[in-house]
């Protein structure tokens, strides 16, 4: 449709013209979730939230009523309309995202089945949705039973228990491991998870994973085997480790006549066996090592008969009263893609160099033939070659001592690597491509976004950033790099939270990660720079502010209120800590501690930018506090704490005036050093007075052209801030020009030098798979696609659509799968006319504004539902 107004509101509203409702096959409910998880077996709370999406061919259709039913025990109750836990009845509401449970009180091990149906504003009623299930995990009212067991001095044992069952029913197996594990029942591996559990701050918390193992058990004799790896539970990591070896608890429950009974637990009656698997390296920064496999000592078959031939000994038991165990609330790691090599090159006799064609985080697998008994094959991994094309050692090494069979296979198990290149030593035959695999591993979230435009350079940058996010987001957190530090730095997380949350459905990952931040807080509200926090990590206030900013962004992007509700009190404690180290109203350097060092402004900016200048560091640190105060005002408002919201607003107003007074130079119209970050951050936060804004903006653009030659001149902190400032100020040509530079520093410089993931340094030093510069990812969606979430109606319930079109771009196709469904904006320019094709999900509304340079009379808008 064509509209002559400058501002067009697309609201999915209409007048109900019929009193009665008719069932309609036109309405489909899909993607049902509980706590943003699909059929979770064990939740960490008794007040879950429900979400669903709606498909309908009807234009301007919206949900007017919903009804939720929750029943205990089995789907039969719901099928017979016996919702004994919660019968919501018909509720007048368009809510379909994170709808809170309001039924009978739930408790540990409650097992619930639920479904939903809706009525539209157009007189139609949906069918009931498919029936979903959720369970409440082992909480404080019914804590996990059993003892922690292991073999002293053994970091990767097999632990087993044989038991008898008189009947087969519904069985849940709860595993509380402090390191990695695999579960086998009657010879079969349970589930497709790898590298479980997710990370936690092990000084305070361990995680419980719960499996429905009904299909693995049988009437009569059964066997359960746990193969353990220590993972992060090593003394070298900095955590408080009370046992030299892997530790685990297990609890097997059977459900009979609507009640759970515990069938077996881990205790001294279990037995253990030493394997030929071991982690190498101390598991600390720059030394994560790899895996050493002595194949002759490992089981070739997990069946009970084969395992009986092994040597078994009694397990040790140990009490760990200081570590809380709670259900894991993020999806597990899984293998997401498998790649084959693009080349295999012989370096010398028995030494081969394999190029996988792209960097990745995950596992390596190789089928080998005709190895001699005890022959040791060595695998070294690197994310890059040096300038001469030689392999660079990075301390990532595996080894395999062969059995001497005709064919043998090496594959990682309890460690992982970030690599593109693998150097194989002492392998007498040339590997064939069909025998080589590399497995990409990350948290099992969904990709929810696509971007494509007329400029291949922009497409390549976007693809690189999106793929990098997959490589960095695993085990329920996001790391700086998977191989060198493997740490959940708040600065790196802050820099790319909006990118990750735009591109992927990662709300559960942030639930897990922010829990680790809360568990890492010290007395007086002091926060580390990294969480989980086994030891010191460098950073500054921007790193700590992740605790506030990521919680808020999770609410805005997913309409998920849990984090701001759970952690609001702790956020205030941290701001009190900030006040403690403020002098004359401005934050000053706080002390280093055993768990935190450095005090940074920006980090890893390009050569020629003095990001470490004291004046710049002080400015950026206080801007961080200003942004946190503004965010806390919003959080307090959402939590219906108006007085606290007002207090935060007053504190920000006072701080902003002081920042401008101290750091602004009226003669040069510059803040601090005049860098792109020093200039854009005060403008972004509203610190710059309106009277000065135009001059400061012009000075930033001028300096970028004259001093930096139209190149990006910021680092980890600056990339997302400059990106957001450019988007908010509609300076699309400014950003586009910088992205098109092919020399140092820039994204095309990385790509032209073979990058498939973004680097740690603009120059390519050290890590080639890193989380420094991925904050640019939002620009493709918010600027070029023009899709922006409205903070006042989060989760894309209301969408602001204003594409920004740089000179030279002729079309773009952008899509985001929001909590309500997919929003798409496709635009193209022909003969100076702009065509906009917009698709909105049911439940969302949008406000569309003509891009700069176009009047609405020159814009054709086609709206789809």
């Amino acid at each position: 449709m064509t509209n002559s107004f400058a501002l067009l509101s697309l609201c999915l509203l209409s007048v109900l013209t019929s009193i009665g409702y008719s069932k309609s096959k036109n309405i489909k409910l899909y993607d049902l979730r509980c706590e943003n998880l699909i059929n979770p077996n064990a939740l960490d709370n008794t007040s879950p939230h429900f979400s669903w999406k709606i498909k309908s061919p009807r234009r301007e259709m919206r949900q007017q009523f919903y009804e939720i039913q929750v029943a205990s025990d089995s789907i039969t109750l719901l099928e017979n309309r016996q919702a004994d836990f919660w019968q919501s009845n018909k509720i007048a509401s368009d809510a379909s995202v994170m709808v809170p449970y309001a039924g009978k009180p739930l408790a540990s091990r409650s097992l619930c089945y639920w479904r939903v149906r809706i009525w539209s504003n157009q007189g139609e009623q949906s069918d009931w949705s498919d029936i979903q299930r959720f369970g409440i995990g082992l909480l404080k009212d019914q804590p996990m039973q059993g003892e922690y067991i292991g073999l002293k001095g053994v970091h990767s044992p097999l632990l087993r228990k044989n038991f008898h069952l008189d009947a087969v029913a519904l069985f849940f197996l709860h595993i509380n491991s402090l390191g990695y594990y695999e579960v086998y029942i009657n010879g079969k591996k349970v589930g497709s998870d790898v590298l479980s559990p997710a990370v936690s701050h092990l000084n305070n918390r361990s995680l419980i994973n719960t499996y429905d193992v009904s299909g693995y058990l049988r009437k009569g004799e059964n066997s359960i085997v746990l193969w353990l790896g220590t993972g992060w539970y090593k003394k070298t990591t900095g955590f408080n480790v009370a046992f030299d070896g892997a530790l685990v608890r297990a609890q097997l429950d059977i459900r009979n006549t609507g009640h759970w009974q515990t069938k077996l637990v881990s205790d001294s009656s279990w037995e253990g066996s030493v394997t030929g698997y071991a982690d190498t390296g101390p598991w600390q920064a720059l030394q994560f090592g790899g895996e050493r496999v002595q194949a002759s000592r490992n089981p070739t078959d997990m069946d009970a008969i084969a395992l009986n031939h092994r040597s078994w000994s009694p397990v040790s038991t140990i009490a760990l009263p200081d570590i809380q165990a709670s259900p894991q609330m993020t999806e597990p790691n899984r293998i997401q893609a498998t790649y084959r090599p693009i080349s295999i090159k012989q370096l010398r006799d028995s030494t081969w160099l394999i190029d996988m064609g792209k960097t990745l985080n995950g596992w390596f697998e190789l089928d080998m033939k005709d190895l001699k008994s005890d022959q040791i094959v060595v695998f070294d991994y690197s994310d890059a070659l040096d300038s001469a094309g030689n392999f660079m050692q990075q301390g990532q090494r595996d080894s395999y001592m062969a059995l001497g069979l005709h064919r043998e296979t090496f594959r990682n198990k309890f460690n992982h690597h970030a690599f593109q290149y693998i150097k194989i030593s002492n392998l007498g035959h040339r590997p064939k491509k069909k025998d080589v695999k590399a497995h990409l591993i990350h948290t099992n979230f969904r990709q929810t976004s696509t971007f494509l435009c007329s400029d291949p350079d922009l497409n390549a940058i976007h693809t690189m950033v999106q793929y990098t996010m997959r490589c960095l987001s695993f085990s329920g957190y996001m790391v700086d790099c998977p191989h060198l530090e493997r740490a959940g730095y708040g600065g790196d997380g802050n820099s790319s939270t909006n990118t990750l949350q735009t591109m992927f459905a990662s709300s559960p990952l942030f639930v897990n990660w922010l829990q680790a931040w809360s568990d890492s807080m010290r007395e007086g509200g002091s926060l580390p720079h990294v969480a989980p926090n086994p030891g010191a990590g460098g950073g500054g206030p921007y790193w700590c502010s992740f605790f506030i900013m990521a919680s808020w962004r999770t609410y805005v992007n997913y309409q998920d209120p849990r984090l701001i509700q759970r952690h609001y009190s702790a956020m205030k404690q941290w701001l009190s800590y900030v006040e403690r180290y403020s002098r004359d109203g401005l934050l000053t350097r706080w002390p280093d501690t055993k768990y935190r060092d450095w005090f940074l402004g920006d980090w890893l900016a390009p050569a020629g930018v003095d990001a470490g200048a004291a004046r710049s560091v002080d400015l950026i640190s206080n801007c961080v506090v200003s942004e946190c105060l503004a965010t806390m005002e919003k959080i307090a408002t959402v939590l219906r704490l108006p007085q606290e919201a007002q207090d935060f607003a007053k504190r920000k107003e006072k701080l902003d005036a002081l920042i401008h007074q101290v750091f602004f130079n009226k003669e040069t119209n510059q803040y601090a050093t005049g860098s792109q970050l020093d200039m854009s951050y005060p403008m972004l936060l509203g610190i710059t007075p309106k009277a000065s804004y135009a001059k400061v903006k012009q000075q930033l653009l001028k300096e970028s052209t004259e001093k930096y030659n139209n190149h990006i001149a910021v680092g980890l902190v600056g990339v997302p801030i400059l990106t957001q400032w450019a988007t908010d100020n509609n300076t699309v040509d400014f950003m586009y020009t910088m992205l098109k530079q092919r020399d140092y520093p820039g994204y095309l410089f990385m790509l032209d030098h073979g990058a498939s993931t973004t680097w740690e340094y603009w120059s390519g030093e050290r890590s080639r798979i890193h989380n420094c510069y991925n904050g640019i990812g939002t620009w493709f969606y918010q600027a070029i696609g023009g899709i922006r979430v409205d903070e006042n109606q989060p989760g894309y319930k209301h969408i602001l659509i204003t594409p920004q079109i740089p000179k030279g771009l002729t079309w773009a196709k952008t899509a985001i799968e929001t909590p309500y469904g997919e929003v798409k904006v496709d635009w193209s320019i022909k003969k100076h006319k702009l065509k906009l094709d917009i698709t909105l999900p049911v439940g969302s509304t949008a406000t569309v504004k003509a891009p700069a340079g176009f009047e609405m009379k020159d814009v054709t808008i086609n709206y789809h539902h």
Side-chain angles (χ1 to χ4, degrees):
M1 61 183 176
T2 302
N3 195 297
S4 60
F5 294 100
L7 192 65
L8 173 66
S9 291
L10 301 179
C11 297
L12 308 185
L13 302 173
S14 67
V15 178
L16 183 62
T17 58
S18 173
I19 297 176
Y21 289 85
S22 59
K23 274 198 175 182
S24 173
K25 298 294 183 182
N26 289 322
I27 301 175
K28 174 68 175 178
L29 306 184
Y30 71 104
D31 197 14
L32 275 69
R33 292 178 178 259
C34 179
E35 296 293 68
N36 281 328
L37 298 168
I38 299 174
N39 292 322
N41 289 324
L43 299 176
D44 70 345
N45 69 89
T46 58
S47 302
H49 300 79
F50 305 105
S51 302
W52 58 92
K53 295 175 183 175
I54 306 166
K55 282 184 181 178
S56 172
R58 308 288 194 197
R59 286 197 60 169
E60 299 187 353
M61 177 267 180
R62 68 178 176 87
Q63 172 186 299
Q64 191 170 43
F65 301 91
Y66 72 79
E67 182 178 11
I68 297 176
Q69 292 182 337
V70 181
S72 64
D73 197 44
S74 72
I75 62 176
T76 305
L77 290 178
L78 287 186
E79 290 173 343
N80 293 329
R81 299 185 180 184
Q82 296 176 341
D84 56 332
F85 274 176
W86 186 28
Q87 172 64 65
S88 75
N89 297 318
K90 198 172 177 180
I91 295 177
S93 172
D94 65 351
S96 60
V97 175
M98 297 300 284
V99 176
Y101 174 80
K104 293 180 180 179
L106 303 176
S108 290
R109 301 201 291 182
S110 294
L111 188 63
C112 310
Y113 296 82
W114 71 282
R115 64 180 181 177
V116 61
R117 63 178 174 179
I118 71 162
W119 291 261
S120 79
N121 61 321
Q122 297 174 332
E124 294 181 317
Q125 173 190 326
S126 76
D127 286 331
W128 284 106
S129 69
D130 292 337
I131 295 175
Q132 309 291 300
R133 188 177 79 179
F134 70 90
I136 306 300
L138 300 173
L139 306 182
K140 290 181 179 180
D141 61 320
Q142 293 185 41
M144 188 164 179
Q145 304 301 302
E147 299 173 284
Y148 286 105
I149 59 173
L151 288 181
K152 190 172 183 179
V154 181
H155 289 195
S156 189
L158 297 177
L159 306 180
R160 78 167 179 177
K161 177 71 175 179
N162 298 324
F163 58 98
H164 181 86
L165 291 177
D166 295 325
V168 175
L170 178 64
F171 286 90
F172 273 13
L173 176 64
H174 308 279
I175 300 291
N176 175 212
S177 179
L178 301 185
Y180 296 134
Y181 66 89
E182 292 178 347
V183 183
Y184 298 85
I185 294 180
N186 296 327
K188 295 182 179 179
K189 183 177 181 295
V190 174
S192 56
D193 307 0
V194 298
L195 298 171
S196 284
V199 296
S200 63
H201 187 65
L202 286 171
N203 288 348
N204 297 336
R205 185 183 304 273
S206 58
L207 299 179
I208 304 169
N209 291 92
T210 298
Y211 302 88
D212 183 341
V213 294
S214 308
Y216 296 86
L217 294 166
R218 61 199 178 204
K219 186 176 179 180
E221 297 304 313
N222 290 265
S223 175
I224 179 172
V225 176
L226 305 177
W227 194 341
L228 306 183
T230 48
W232 286 97
Y233 195 69
K234 297 182 179 71
K235 292 182 179 180
T236 54
T237 63
F239 285 121
N240 299 327
V241 174
F243 184 76
D244 181 21
L247 284 177
V248 69
R249 281 193 300 175
Q251 176 178 330
L252 180 66
D253 291 344
I254 181 174
R255 191 165 181 86
N256 282 322
T257 62
H259 299 283
W260 289 105
Q261 295 176 321
T262 298
K263 178 63 181 178
L264 66 84
V265 298
S266 51
D267 55 25
S268 59
S269 68
W270 287 53
E271 53 187 358
S273 179
V274 179
T275 71
Y277 175 90
D279 273 327
T280 63
W283 271 63
Q284 58 192 30
L286 309 182
Q287 300 181 68
F288 283 96
E291 301 176 279
R292 184 175 65 248
V293 178
Q294 186 177 349
S296 62
R297 302 183 69 184
N298 283 340
T300 56
D301 190 334
M302 299 300 286
D303 184 82
I305 296 176
L307 292 177
N308 284 337
H309 295 288
R310 297 182 62 84
S311 175
W312 296 89
S313 58
V315 298
S316 299
T317 62
I318 187 170
L320 298 174
D322 296 330
I323 300 180
Q324 177 184 353
S326 61
Q328 177 173 310
M329 288 296 289
T330 186
E331 303 96 337
N333 289 326
R334 290 203 177 126
I335 293 174
Q336 304 292 334
T338 298
Y339 303 116
R340 299 286 185 174
I342 62 170
S343 70
I344 300 176
K345 175 182 176 182
Q346 186 168 12
L347 298 180
R348 51 189 174 271
D349 288 347
S350 302
T351 303
W352 313 91
L353 180 65
I354 297 178
D355 182 357
M356 298 307 304
K358 65 194 306 183
T359 46
L360 72 142
N361 172 42
W363 285 352
F364 180 69
E365 181 175 342
L366 178 65
D367 290 334
M368 300 167 285
K369 63 180 182 179
D370 298 328
L371 299 180
K372 297 178 181 179
S373 178
D374 294 338
Q375 177 180 341
I376 298 176
V377 182
V378 177
F379 309 89
D380 289 291
Y381 304 85
S382 181
D383 61 11
L385 304 178
D386 66 17
S387 57
N390 299 313
F391 185 87
M392 293 196 304
Q393 295 286 353
Q394 291 184 320
Q396 304 182 84
R397 171 174 287 185
D398 299 326
S399 64
Y400 179 84
M401 181 182 288
L403 278 168
L405 304 177
H406 174 59
R407 296 196 70 88
E408 300 183 48
T409 299
F410 167 80
R411 187 170 96 154
N412 293 115
K413 181 180 290 289
F414 294 136
N415 206 332
H416 54 100
H417 304 293
F419 62 97
Q420 178 173 338
Y421 302 95
I422 309 97
K423 185 179 74 172
I424 305 177
S425 305
N426 201 33
L427 181 66
H429 65 277
R430 183 186 188 91
K432 296 181 179 180
K433 289 185 178 180
K434 68 180 182 66
D435 294 330
V436 178
K437 297 176 183 177
H439 303 289
L440 172 67
I441 292 171
H442 63 70
T443 298
N444 195 40
F445 47 59
R446 297 168 300 144
Q447 180 177 314
T448 53
S449 65
T450 57
F451 173 86
L452 195 65
C453 73
S454 60
D455 188 333
D457 287 339
L458 288 190
N459 295 336
I461 295 171
H462 170 269
T463 297
M464 176 173 64
V465 170
Q466 189 173 55
Y467 177 68
T468 304
M469 292 287 91
R470 297 180 70 190
C471 293
L472 298 174
S473 304
F474 62 96
S475 291
Y477 73 150
M478 186 165 39
V479 295
D480 60 335
C481 58
H483 48 333
L484 300 181
E485 295 186 77
R486 204 175 290 182
Y489 278 96
D492 303 68
N494 236 349
S495 181
S496 55
T497 288
N498 268 334
T499 294
L500 184 70
Q501 293 190 347
T502 299
M503 294 180 169
F504 302 94
S506 57
S507 171
L509 180 146
F510 283 87
V511 169
N512 183 75
W513 195 9
L514 269 296
Q515 179 175 263
W517 276 89
S518 179
D519 290 340
S520 298
M521 178 174 276
R522 275 30 176 222
E523 186 177 353
S526 177
L527 280 173
H529 293 144
V530 56
N533 180 234
Y542 184 79
W543 278 247
C544 302
S545 72
F546 173 79
F547 188 45
I548 293 175
M549 299 309 301
S551 298
W552 172 249
R553 287 166 180 160
T554 302
Y555 170 71
V556 170
N557 289 322
Y558 300 119
Q559 202 175 325
D560 186 343
R562 290 175 292 169
L563 296 179
I564 60 173
Q565 292 169 345
R566 291 181 181 185
H567 303 308
Y568 178 70
S569 177
M571 295 175 197
K572 292 195 295 181
Q573 290 181 51
W574 180 69
L575 285 175
S576 295
Y577 182 84
V578 168
E579 279 195 274
R580 200 172 309 146
Y581 291 98
S582 296
R583 300 291 180 269
D584 299 322
L586 293 174
L587 174 63
T588 59
R589 195 189 199 287
W590 50 47
D592 289 345
T593 68
K594 292 182 179 180
Y595 55 86
R596 181 191 67 216
D597 49 27
W598 300 2
F599 193 82
L600 301 174
D602 204 356
W603 175 240
L604 298 178
V609 180
D610 189 3
R615 194 158 171 80
S616 177
V617 171
D618 288 343
L619 168 66
I620 300 312
S621 297
N622 281 281
C623 282
V624 168
V625 179
S626 173
E627 186 170 20
C628 287
L629 291 173
T631 304
M632 290 295 282
E633 179 193 357
K634 298 173 188 176
I635 293 173
T637 300
V638 172
L639 298 181
R640 298 181 180 179
L641 301 168
Q643 185 57 56
E644 295 191 20
Q646 186 178 351
D647 291 343
F648 286 123
K650 289 179 178 178
R651 289 168 62 182
K652 174 178 164 55
E653 182 181 6
K654 185 177 179 180
L655 176 60
D656 288 356
L658 193 56
I659 291 173
H660 182 71
Q661 175 188 334
V662 172
F663 295 100
F664 185 63
N665 187 324
K666 295 180 181 179
E667 302 299 323
T668 62
N669 290 308
Q670 290 181 331
Y671 286 93
T673 67
S675 69
Q676 287 180 345
L677 176 56
D678 288 356
M679 299 290 279
S680 60
Y681 208 1
M683 285 192 284
L684 180 66
L685 300 179
I687 293 171
T688 307
K690 291 182 180 179
S692 303
Y693 196 96
K695 293 179 180 180
V696 176
K697 177 181 177 180
Q698 187 58 38
Q699 182 64 26
L700 167 60
L701 299 177
K702 178 183 176 183
E703 287 282 301
S704 296
T705 299
E706 296 178 356
K707 185 175 181 180
Y708 302 117
N709 196 24
N710 292 316
H711 284 71
I712 197 162
V714 287
L716 179 152
V717 176
V719 167
I721 290 167
L722 185 65
T723 299
Q724 197 62 57
W725 177 86
T727 302
D728 289 355
N729 284 267
N730 201 17
T731 56
V732 66
D733 288 311
F734 164 71
M735 185 61 73
Y736 183 60
T737 300
M738 289 193 294
L739 291 180
K740 290 290 288 184
Q741 304 300 323
R742 306 204 82 91
D743 57 338
Y744 172 89
Y747 296 92
L748 294 181
F749 179 78
M750 297 183 193
L751 287 162
D752 290 346
H753 286 78
S756 53
T757 49
T758 55
W759 299 345
E760 180 178 12
Y761 288 77
W762 288 112
S763 60
E765 298 173 51
R766 242 173 58 123
S767 170
R768 293 291 185 96
I769 176 170
H770 216 88
N771 202 9
C772 268
Y773 310 122
N774 298 300
I776 191 65
T778 58
W779 184 80
F780 299 93
Y781 296 89
Q782 294 183 6
I784 301 301
I787 304 171
R788 301 186 66 178
V789 62
D790 182 352
E791 287 191 346
N792 294 315
Q793 297 186 59
Y796 296 87
K797 185 170 181 58
H798 181 245
I799 305 163
L800 308 172
I801 299 178
T802 310
Q804 299 177 20
I805 304 175
K807 295 175 184 177
L809 218 60
T810 58
W811 61 266
K813 299 177 181 293
T814 311
I816 301 174
E817 178 73 16
T818 78
Y820 289 91
E822 187 177 54
V823 55
K824 293 176 64 177
V825 176
D826 296 349
W827 60 260
S828 59
I829 301 173
K830 291 182 180 179
K831 296 180 180 180
H832 306 291
K833 300 286 187 181
L834 176 66
K835 179 183 177 183
L836 273 175
D837 285 323
I838 297 172
T839 301
L840 295 181
V842 175
S844 293
T845 64
T847 299
V848 182
K849 188 176 180 180
F854 290 89
E855 296 182 8
M856 279 314 259
K857 66 181 181 180
D858 299 320
V859 180
T860 299
I861 298 178
N862 297 316
Y863 158 56
H864 311 279
H865 185 48

